[in-house]
Amino acid sequence: MPEPVEAPVILSNEPGSFAWRVLAERHPALIKKVRDAFPYGPEQHRALDALLAQSTDGVIEPLGPGAHDRELWQGWGSGHFGRSWFDVPFLWAESYFYRQLLEAVGYFEAGPWQGIDPFRPFKQAELQTVEAAEELAALDRPVDPAAPDAEGQALLLSALWGNRADLGFRIGAEGDAADAIDSGLVADQSELLWTLLPEGGRGALCLVADNAGRELLPDLILIDHLLNRQRIERAVLHVKPYPYYVSDATTADVIDCLRHLTAAPGAASEVGRRLWAAMGSGRLTVRAHTFSCAPLPYAEMPDDLRQEFANATLTLVKGDLNYRRLVGDRLWPASTPFAEPTAYFPGPVAALRTLKSDVIVGLDARTEAALTAEHGQAWRTSGTHGLIQVRSPKDA
């Protein structure tokens, strides 16, 4: 296989760019949102104000001497401290912002705010929406018997789109209606994905989760489907060891979702009970590796994580951030084959992603040209398009 084309690492120093808007606009708004969500005291307010000033107009400062992971971040951020947040790799700057946000609210420090997830109110609100209830109710509807494993494909697409396209629409859709939602896919290798998870399969699935709340529910329902239909023998759900990127899933969020499922009426409750039992028997396990919160691409994963992915029948990587880490947060030519920047991955890997950042690979030239002609570059970041990409054993 030829060497991948080198592509520049994405920075945030171009005013008006997506990465610049995240640091200059999204992060300040998030600080206000977090500040208003809890009755924090003066100490947390001062720290949040300092983070706002530092991350917008100041330079990157190291964690305090008492931080448990100070040395780790010193290594990850070698050469970045003392520089503008906008002049270092976007992936690193965005990740460090969230680590500093946890520091500001006292998440790791012994005291009354230790372990209090600053994003929990937003995650909880997602579970209580009418839309979430309607999606779970859709599990009681019959699927189209004419389509092979129509339910599995519907669940796969629901996991991809998260809260953009509800499960009820997907399961109940036929013909043109189903095609309408699938038309947002800029790449669709779902047929190849299913060949890696055949019925009667005895392998393991690693699912690297993205968001909590309403978007974690379809991930769990998909896992239940694969276990219940005996496409896999066991599943490992990778979540974050602590709050990260606003809505990223942690173990506590998994438990919240399982409780929500078991308390729901109809088929959703059955799914919840099966998953609860699967955790008790070891068929479903939750993994919270520290590397999940590292500001690094998966190409730099530690050996124990590499071995775990190598042993999996398939690793399913969910969401935009995980995609950036999977292929590298770089300005790749969009036509770069998906197999090239993922060649390092130790086993078969598939990406389910709604496009919310500039990174994209695996498109043919005509698709890219048509998208750009119709939407400019907004199609890369608007969340209105998605993809299913697979690197199978034959690509290794």
Side-chain angles (χ1 to χ4, degrees), residues 29-206:
L30 177 60
I31 289 175
K32 183 181 187 306
K33 192 173 181 180
V34 167
R35 181 181 177 132
D36 293 342
F38 287 93
Y40 290 125
E43 182 180 353
Q44 287 76 32
H45 287 168
R46 285 192 296 269
L48 288 169
D49 290 343
L51 176 59
L52 175 61
Q54 179 198 142
S55 62
T56 52
D57 299 315
V59 297
I60 300 168
E61 298 177 5
L63 292 168
H68 73 281
D69 52 354
R70 174 185 166 91
E71 290 188 10
L72 198 56
W73 279 97
Q74 287 289 103
W76 288 339
S78 177
H80 298 340
F81 297 103
R83 301 177 62 190
S84 167
W85 289 70
F86 295 84
D87 291 335
V88 303
F90 175 45
L91 177 64
W92 191 95
E94 197 174 10
S95 298
Y96 192 58
F97 169 83
Y98 284 99
R99 175 58 186 88
Q100 286 281 34
L101 182 59
L102 293 183
E103 194 74 7
V105 299
Y107 181 85
F108 293 110
E109 184 180 352
W113 294 104
Q114 186 177 35
I116 302 298
D117 184 348
F119 312 126
R120 183 171 174 79
F122 320 135
K123 297 172 179 179
Q124 289 290 93
E126 278 281 313
L127 289 177
Q128 304 306 322
T129 60
V130 172
E131 292 82 2
E134 290 174 347
E135 288 166 8
L136 295 186
L139 294 172
D140 294 313
R141 300 178 192 171
V143 299
D144 181 3
D149 198 16
E151 184 181 12
Q153 182 68 6
L155 294 174
L156 182 72
L157 289 165
S158 181
L160 183 158
W161 290 117
N163 60 14
R164 183 197 158 208
D166 66 81
L167 179 59
F169 179 84
R170 281 298 317 154
I171 288 182
E174 296 180 4
D176 293 342
D179 293 340
I181 197 67
D182 294 347
S183 66
L185 295 179
V186 300
D188 181 6
Q189 293 185 289
S190 55
E191 288 189 14
L192 177 57
L193 185 152
W194 287 116
T195 67
L196 300 176
L197 299 171
E199 291 189 8
R202 299 186 58 81
L205 172 77
C206 284

